[in-house]
Amino acid sequence: MQIIKIDDVPELELPGLRHRTLAGPRNGMTQGEVWTQIAEPGGATPVHRHDCEEVVIVLTGSGVCKCEDRDYPFGPRSVMIIPPNVVHQIVNTGSEPITGFGFLTMAPVIVEDPNGERIHLPWDQGSEAG
């Protein structure tokens, strides 16, 4: 049993995107990871895929989830369910930050580009990363 204060979890960044892994292998998780992210207006996740299901709960903000060849608009209080290995990107097209949580059904989450090459992100918890 653990209690983790969100503000005590290190915040890591990519341009326009702030990330915290709230639960994952570093906390003893073996079946999934829980992330929180903030995407600034114009910010986006990398175009990527992973071999697991992902649920994204959007609390605030709006944008599009680009999945394969389609754009899926979303707003606050939306839930996105992304199947395994679907190439996707979440883009903030609005005027306020997107805040939300991601629940991924593997640990560690291995993120790949559309061609299957691993993307090493600052928050990797895989055995090859920090």
Side-chain angles (χ1 to χ4, degrees):
M1 168 62 192
Q2 296 180 52
I3 305 273
I4 298 166
K5 292 182 180 181
I6 292 173
D7 290 339
D8 291 343
V9 176
E11 187 172 76
L12 303 167
E13 295 186 32
L14 291 176
L17 185 69
R18 292 180 281 151
H19 173 101
R20 286 185 164 116
T21 299
L22 303 178
R26 289 191 185 114
N27 312 100
M29 296 285 294
T30 61
Q31 305 277 324
E33 291 189 19
V34 179
W35 299 353
T36 184
Q37 292 185 333
I38 299 170
E40 298 299 330
T45 65
V47 176
H48 68 285
R49 67 181 183 187
H50 27 71
D51 191 21
C52 66
E53 295 174 311
E54 178 177 15
V55 175
V56 177
I57 299 171
V58 178
L59 301 176
T60 66
S62 60
V64 311
C65 183
K66 298 177 175 286
C67 287
E68 312 224 312
D69 295 329
R70 290 192 57 195
D71 288 355
Y72 296 88
F74 64 85
R77 301 181 56 79
S78 297
V79 177
M80 291 178 254
I81 300 170
I82 304 166
N85 291 308
V86 169
V87 175
H88 61 284
Q89 179 184 40
I90 296 171
V91 181
N92 185 336
T93 59
S95 59
E96 67 176 272
I98 293 171
T99 60
F101 291 91
F103 302 88
L104 298 101
T105 60
M106 76 184 310
V109 175
I110 306 300
V111 178
E112 298 176 339
D113 71 14
N115 298 317
E117 297 294 319
R118 181 153 180 196
I119 300 172
H120 293 279
L121 296 167
W123 49 84
D124 275 348
Q125 293 200 11
S127 59
E128 309 169 16

